[in-house]
Amino acid sequence: MRTRSPSSSIVKSQSKALLHARLREHGLKLTHQRELIAELFLRQDHITVEDLYREVAKKDPSIGIITVYRTLKLLCQWELAQERHFGKGKTIYDNVAQKAHHDHLICTHCARIIEFENFQIEKFQEQVARDHEFHITFHKLELYGLCKACRRDDVRPSRRSEHA
Amino acid sequence: MRTRSPSSSIVKSQSKALLHARLREHGLKLTHQRELIAELFLRQDHITVEDLYREVAKKDPSIGIITVYRTLKLLCQWELAQERHFGKGKTIYDNVAQKAHHDHLICTHCARIIEFENFQIEKFQEQVARDHEFHITFHKLELYGLCKACRRDDVRPSRRSEHA
DNA sequence: TCGAAATTGAATTTAGATTTCAAAATGAGA
DNA sequence: TCTCATTTTGAAATCTAAATTCAATTTCGA
Ligand SMILES: [Mn+2]
Ligand SMILES: [Mn+2]
Ligand SMILES: [Zn+2]
Ligand SMILES: [Zn+2]
């Protein structure tokens, strides 16, 4: 992980300004729903619609999950978010507002997601593409397995079940 | 692509023997539905349930798509098939009966899938894992872009629409 | 403040996949 | 070859994530 999310109050003011700017650019309206959803989304790294909806509902239970879907779609269009499909489950939205391209290590035991980038891998990807006269526009590299914490747990099988 | 599917008649007899052996091992019954579905599946590289169902229906329209789902699930359990989720669309079933691990180049224009393997990339993946004290159990590397044919077409925009 | 235009939330729909269940088939043993 | 317990099948129903529809509400520039 290269970038760390800045402190909550900075995120809050920055994300509000960012959101307002993007909305104006596109002739869209600033609603309190969009404001809250974007603020909570931009405060974290990776989240599902369901989980973000739950967070949103804590602050304003009148907001519908469908508005969460729609707001995340907007954030994707503006490249503040990116859809990810790890495993076969629900879509995970990656907060890429302060991040460059990166790939992921995904723990199949506790669902932790670790970000990384490796330029050597990317160079060999280009080599593979050249060999096949292929032109890469984007790529996904996902490494699944056990994170540091879950590897430790593995030697104590009794603790396995306390993980998601 | 390292392995090429052998000629149809060899595949047919081989796949029937293979299927029969696996079914016996697991105390399951050899039905003509399973025989046809497996034979047609093992004859190609990558296919969706829908497309395989269409192939099956040409030979025996009485077979239900649900049996195609169920048979592919069996083939996956026996590691003759593997589910892949390219893009966000339907599941693609990869015929891995004669293949070792490999990754994919996916053309976003014509949907062509090219298989490759690159040991240097895999080595750097292990390096990344070591850096994060992570233990990789499996991975996915997908390179999206334009294949050789579609790059050529791109300089003649009028031909674009003839592709899927 | 007004009012056109955008946005919202609930209900409905879609799409892919899974589950349920009665009828049909398979195949081991007689 | 016949019997019959067990497995398998196909259709329909169900499930889940996500998209669409639409009347009511909100936003924001004039
Ligand atoms: Mn990420
Ligand atoms: Mn493949
Ligand atoms: Zn873990
Ligand atoms: Zn192509």
Side-chain angles (χ1 to χ4, degrees):
Chain A
M1 200 173 339
R2 284 152 299 94
T3 53
R4 263 274 35 98
S5 304
S7 87
S8 155
S9 62
I10 297 173
V11 168
K12 187 165 179 177
S13 56
Q14 273 190 346
S15 71
K16 187 165 176 176
L18 192 65
L19 182 73
H20 211 150
R22 288 291 197 294
L23 289 169
R24 297 195 130 275
E25 276 170 36
H26 294 83
L28 301 177
K29 291 176 178 177
L30 176 66
T31 64
H32 71 93
Q33 288 95 332
R34 284 174 173 169
E35 211 173 326
L36 179 60
I37 295 166
E39 186 206 323
L40 294 180
F41 173 73
L42 293 171
R43 208 176 252 193
Q44 55 76 60
D45 266 325
H46 303 93
I47 198 163
T48 62
V49 170
E50 291 277 351
D51 286 348
L52 182 55
Y53 172 61
R54 256 186 293 272
E55 289 299 308
V56 165
K58 283 183 199 164
K59 301 257 183 177
D60 182 348
S62 73
I63 296 179
I65 194 171
I66 190 60
T67 301
V68 178
Y69 274 104
R70 287 189 281 224
T71 303
L72 283 172
K73 183 147 288 185
L74 279 181
L75 296 180
C76 286
Q77 285 169 17
W78 301 336
E79 304 192 305
L80 300 176
Q82 261 174 22
E83 289 194 359
R84 307 274 185 192
H85 302 266
F86 301 142
K88 56 203 70 175
K90 355 195 141 171
T91 303
I92 284 173
Y93 288 82
D94 194 340
N95 171 2
V96 295
Q98 344 259 341
K99 295 175 200 160
H101 165 79
H102 60 270
D103 291 297
H104 299 89
L105 289 152
I106 300 123
C107 181
T108 51
H109 195 227
C110 71
R112 187 148 85 104
I113 298 170
I114 301 164
E115 302 182 334
F116 73 90
E117 60 191 331
N118 183 294
F119 294 112
Q120 281 142 318
I121 290 178
E122 315 248 330
K123 255 176 36 190
F124 282 113
Q125 286 175 7
E126 283 303 331
Q127 181 62 253
V128 168
R130 265 194 302 279
D131 293 345
H132 292 86
E133 301 185 66
F134 193 95
H135 176 253
I136 299 174
T137 50
F138 66 101
H139 72 263
K140 294 183 201 166
L141 173 56
E142 296 159 14
L143 309 178
Y144 296 84
L146 293 179
C147 73
K148 187 177 172 180
C150 294
R151 283 172 84 172
R152 241 189 290 114
D153 286 2
D154 245 20
V155 298
R156 281 174 287 166
S158 59
R159 297 195 61 204
R160 272 175 148 261
S161 53
E162 44 177 82
H163 289 261
Chain B
M1 202 171 342
R2 282 151 301 95
T3 54
R4 264 276 32 99
S5 304
S7 88
S8 157
S9 63
I10 297 174
V11 168
K12 187 166 179 174
S13 56
Q14 274 190 346
S15 72
K16 187 167 177 174
L18 192 65
L19 182 72
H20 211 150
R22 288 291 197 292
L23 289 169
R24 294 194 132 276
E25 277 171 36
H26 294 84
L28 301 177
K29 292 177 176 175
L30 177 66
T31 63
H32 71 92
Q33 290 95 330
R34 284 174 172 169
E35 211 172 327
L36 179 60
I37 294 166
E39 186 206 323
L40 294 180
F41 173 73
L42 294 170
R43 207 175 252 192
Q44 55 75 62
D45 267 323
H46 303 92
I47 198 163
T48 62
V49 170
E50 291 276 351
D51 286 348
L52 182 54
Y53 172 62
R54 256 186 293 272
E55 290 299 308
V56 166
K58 282 183 199 164
K59 301 257 183 175
D60 182 349
S62 72
I63 296 179
I65 194 171
I66 190 59
T67 301
V68 178
Y69 273 105
R70 287 189 280 225
T71 304
L72 284 173
K73 183 148 287 185
L74 279 181
L75 296 178
C76 285
Q77 284 169 19
W78 302 336
E79 303 192 304
L80 301 176
Q82 260 173 23
E83 290 194 357
R84 305 275 186 192
H85 301 266
F86 301 142
K88 55 204 70 177
K90 357 193 138 170
T91 302
I92 284 173
Y93 287 82
D94 196 340
N95 172 1
V96 294
Q98 345 259 340
K99 293 174 201 161
H101 165 79
H102 60 270
D103 292 295
H104 298 90
L105 288 152
I106 300 124
C107 181
T108 51
H109 195 225
C110 71
R112 187 148 86 103
I113 297 169
I114 302 164
E115 302 183 334
F116 74 89
E117 62 189 330
N118 183 293
F119 293 111
Q120 282 142 318
I121 289 177
E122 314 248 329
K123 257 179 29 193
F124 283 113
Q125 286 175 7
E126 283 302 331
Q127 180 62 252
V128 167
R130 265 194 303 279
D131 293 345
H132 292 86
E133 300 183 69
F134 194 95
H135 176 253
I136 299 174
T137 50
F138 66 100
H139 72 263
K140 294 181 199 166
L141 174 56
E142 296 159 13
L143 309 179
Y144 296 85
L146 293 178
C147 74
K148 188 176 170 178
C150 292
R151 283 172 84 173
R152 240 190 290 111
D153 286 3
D154 245 20
V155 298
R156 282 175 288 165
S158 59
R159 295 194 63 205
R160 272 176 148 260
S161 53
E162 39 176 90
H163 290 260

